[in-house]
Amino acid sequence: MKSTSLSTILNRIKEEAQACKAYLPIERTIQRILGSRTTWPALKIGDLVAPTPIVQGGMGVGISLSSLASAVANNGGIGVIAANGIGLLEPDYYEDGQAANLRAFRREIRKARELSSGVIGVNIMVAVNDFHQLLDVAIEEKVDIVFMGAGLPIKNMPVEALRKANVKVAPIVSSARAVDMIFRMWTKLYNDTPDAVVFEGPKAGGHLGFTEEQLEDPAYQLEAIVPQIVEALKPFEESKGCRIPLIAGGGVYSGRDVYKVLSLGASAVQMATRFVATDECDADIRFKQAYVNCTKEQIGLIKSPVGMPGRAIRNTFITDSEEGKRPPFRCAWKCLSSCKAQEANYCISIALNNARRGLLQSGFVFVGTNGYRIKKIVPVKSLVAELEQGYQHAVQMNLERVLAKLSILKTEYTKAETQVKELARRYEEVLLSFPLKSEVVKAIRVQYTRAAMQVEHLKLKMTETLATTSLLLS
C-alpha cells in the first residue's frame, strides 16, 4: 500500500485546522499551523544562522580539523575544529608544545575558512593550560563560535574582545545547575551571558562529565536534563531579550533522534560519532574503520589520565594499561594541570594522536554508545541528507497520529453537537407541554446539560490537539 506523502498529510491537517476556525476561538494556533513547514528548523544563535540544526562535536586529537568542519559547514551545520592537542600535528611539538598548538590551531581555522563560507566553530577545553592563549587565537581569527568544555568558563573571560570580534560563546555542561552557575556569574562579572549552551549527555563518546553510577541513571539522561536546562535559561532569556538556544547531544544517531531531542525543547543537536565515519573526517582510514568494525560489546568505559571516565572502543592498549603495562612516552609539557599520566600508565594526548594516525595498537578510539550501529563510511553530504530524511519521517509519523486523532475528535464533535441541537428542540417542546418542575423536563435538562458538556470537552480536546500540532511544526 502506497504511503501518504508528508506534504499531503500536512495539507490535510491545514484543512482540518481551517475548518476548526468555525467553532474554536484559537486563531493564533490555527494561523501557526497554516503557515508551518515540515523541514527541520534552522539553528539561530543571535545573528548566527545554521540552516541545519546540527553541531558537529569537537573531537581531538586531530579528528575534527578543517576538512570535517568545513564539510559540515558546507552542508548547513556548524563545523567544529577541536583545539585539544592539535600541536601534535606539528613536527616541533616536543620542542615547544604550546607554540605548536597555537600555530596548528590558527592554520586549521584559516584553512576551514578557505574551504567554507558556512559556520565554523572551535572547541577549547577550559582545563588545558593554554586555554586563554587558544581563545585569543580564536578571537583573532574571528571564528563564529567557541564551544568551551572540560571546566566552567567563568574566570578571566575576555568578554569585551569576544563581543568586538562577534565571536559567540557556548559552554558545554552536564547539568542545569552548571548552566545556572555560569550564567549567574557571567551576569555578575561581565553584565553579559553566553550565547548558547551545549548539554553533553552520558551516552556520548570521549570524556564524560558524570560519575560511572550516573551514566545509566534516568535522572541524568537527555529526556530529564534538557527540559531542566530549558527552564534554567528562561530568566536569562527574559533579561537578555532573546532566545538562548540549547544544543543537546550524547547518543544522537538518527534523524528520529534529532526530532526527539528537538521535541524536548532543544534548538539543535550535537553529533560527533556519526561524523567520524565520513570521507571528510581528518583521521586515518584505519581510525574510521574501527567504528565500522566495532561491536556493541567492545564499547565500554575507561579511566582516563585526566581523572574522568571516558567511553571508547576497548582494545589491547586499554587492557594492557589497566594491567599496569606502561608504554614509554615523553611528556612534551604540562598541557593539563590535572593530568595523571603516571597513574594511568600512558599520556592520553599521545594515545589519541597515535589512534588518529591509524596506530591503534599504540592508542585507542573514543566513541559514543551507538557507534556499533555504523556500517559504512559516507560523505558528509550523504549523512546530513540521511538525517534530514529521518527527521522528516519522524515528523510524518507524528502528524499521521495527530491527523487520525483530530479526525476522530471532529466526528465525535459533530455527533455531539447534533445531539445537543436535538435535545434543545425537545427541551423546548416539553417546556411548552409540561410544568417547569416536572420529571420529564428535569430528565431532558439533564440530558441536554451532559451533551453540552461533552461538546465543550471535545472542543478542549481539539484545541489541545491543534496546539500540539502547532508545537510539532514550530
Side-chain angles (χ1 to χ4, degrees), residues 62-345:
I63 308 304
S64 62
L65 300 174
S66 55
S67 175
L68 178 57
S70 61
V72 174
N74 284 335
N75 284 278
I78 297 183
V80 180
I81 296 168
N84 177 41
I86 196 169
L88 280 161
L89 279 67
E90 300 292 283
D92 62 344
Y93 180 76
Y94 286 94
E95 295 172 20
D96 189 339
Q98 183 172 332
N101 275 344
L102 301 180
R103 187 189 324 117
F105 191 42
R106 191 184 301 275
R107 182 188 66 240
E108 290 299 319
I109 293 171
R110 291 182 177 181
K111 191 174 178 181
R113 286 294 195 203
E114 292 173 0
L115 294 169
S116 176
S117 59
V119 183
I120 299 294
V122 297
N123 180 299
I124 307 175
M125 291 170 56
V126 178
V128 295
N129 283 329
D130 55 351
F131 167 72
H132 284 96
Q133 291 87 344
L134 290 165
L135 183 55
D136 287 342
V137 171
I139 294 170
E140 290 165 11
E141 296 299 323
K142 295 184 178 181
V143 301
D144 293 307
I145 184 168
V146 179
F147 297 95
M148 305 176 184
L152 302 178
I154 293 175
K155 295 182 179 179
N156 304 316
M157 293 298 298
V159 175
E160 186 176 344
L162 286 161
R163 295 306 178 213
K164 187 176 180 180
N166 196 26
V167 175
K168 304 295 188 289
V169 176
I172 300 172
V173 302
S174 56
S175 69
R177 181 172 174 270
V179 171
D180 186 68
M181 182 185 299
I182 293 169
F183 276 70
R184 285 185 185 280
M185 291 304 296
W186 267 59
T187 302
K188 179 180 178 180
L189 295 173
Y190 312 114
N191 192 32
D192 205 333
T193 66
D195 304 281
V197 175
V198 176
F199 169 62
E200 207 167 83
K203 293 183 179 180
H207 291 116
L208 306 166
F210 304 89
T211 65
E212 289 191 31
E213 293 73 26
Q214 292 170 340
L215 295 179
E216 299 298 329
D217 189 333
Y220 296 91
Q221 306 304 316
L222 288 171
E223 294 80 2
I225 303 296
V226 167
Q228 292 176 22
I229 295 178
V230 170
E231 286 300 312
L233 287 171
K234 284 183 178 179
F236 301 102
E237 290 177 321
E238 187 175 340
S239 62
K240 197 170 184 176
C242 66
R243 188 173 187 186
I244 301 172
L246 168 61
I247 301 151
V252 179
Y253 181 88
S254 64
R256 182 179 179 183
D257 293 336
V258 175
Y259 177 79
K260 179 181 177 182
V261 173
L262 267 57
S263 297
L264 293 172
S267 297
V269 298
Q270 177 178 274
M271 300 179 72
T273 294
R274 289 299 307 268
F275 285 106
V276 169
T278 60
D279 295 334
E280 296 89 345
C281 175
D282 296 87
D284 185 271
I285 185 62
R286 289 168 289 183
F287 185 100
K288 303 176 190 183
Q289 201 62 42
Y291 276 53
V292 176
N293 296 338
C294 83
T295 64
K296 185 176 183 179
E297 292 72 28
Q298 288 175 313
I299 299 174
L301 299 178
I302 66 165
K303 291 183 178 179
S304 169
V306 304
M308 301 167 67
R311 181 172 284 111
I313 299 175
R314 291 180 58 82
N315 62 2
T316 304
F317 179 87
I318 291 172
T319 55
D320 283 351
S321 68
E322 290 172 346
E323 292 171 3
K325 297 177 184 177
R326 186 177 186 274
F329 65 87
R330 175 189 168 194
C331 183
W333 69 297
K334 189 73 170 178
C335 61
L336 187 68
S337 57
S338 63
C339 179
K340 299 177 182 177
Q342 301 302 324
E343 295 179 20
N345 295 314

Side-chain angles (χ1 to χ4, degrees), residues 370-390:
N370 287 313
Y372 70 94
R373 294 168 63 183
I374 294 173
K375 302 304 177 187
K376 60 181 178 179
I377 299 167
V378 299
V380 166
K381 183 177 182 179
S382 297
L383 174 57
V384 173
E386 174 201 320
L387 293 170
E388 184 170 21
Q389 185 178 14

Side-chain angles (χ1 to χ4, degrees), residues 390-443:
Y391 176 91
Q392 291 183 331
H393 181 64
V395 171
Q396 179 171 336
M397 289 178 65
N398 276 278
L399 290 182
E400 284 176 343
R401 285 193 286 267
V402 167
L403 181 60
K405 183 177 180 181
L406 195 58
S407 298
I408 292 170
L409 288 171
K410 187 179 177 183
T411 301
E412 291 179 355
Y413 172 81
T414 302
K415 182 179 178 181
E417 190 178 41
T418 301
Q419 186 180 13
V420 166
K421 289 178 180 178
E422 174 62 21
L423 286 169
R425 185 188 62 77
R426 289 177 60 192
Y427 189 49
E428 181 185 18
E429 289 178 356
V430 297
L431 282 175
L432 295 174
S433 305
F434 297 90
L436 187 62
K437 295 184 179 181
S438 69
E439 292 301 317
V440 175
V441 172
K442 287 180 181 179

Side-chain angles (χ1 to χ4, degrees), residues 328-372:
F329 65 87
R330 175 189 168 194
C331 183
W333 69 297
K334 189 73 170 178
C335 61
L336 187 68
S337 57
S338 63
C339 179
K340 299 177 182 177
Q342 301 302 324
E343 295 179 20
N345 295 314
Y346 65 93
C347 167
I348 192 163
S349 292
I350 294 174
L352 293 175
N353 188 52
N354 286 337
R356 172 191 68 83
R357 296 162 56 203
L359 307 176
L360 299 179
Q361 73 279 6
S362 301
F364 61 88
V365 172
F366 276 141
V367 67
T369 52
N370 287 313
Y372 70 94

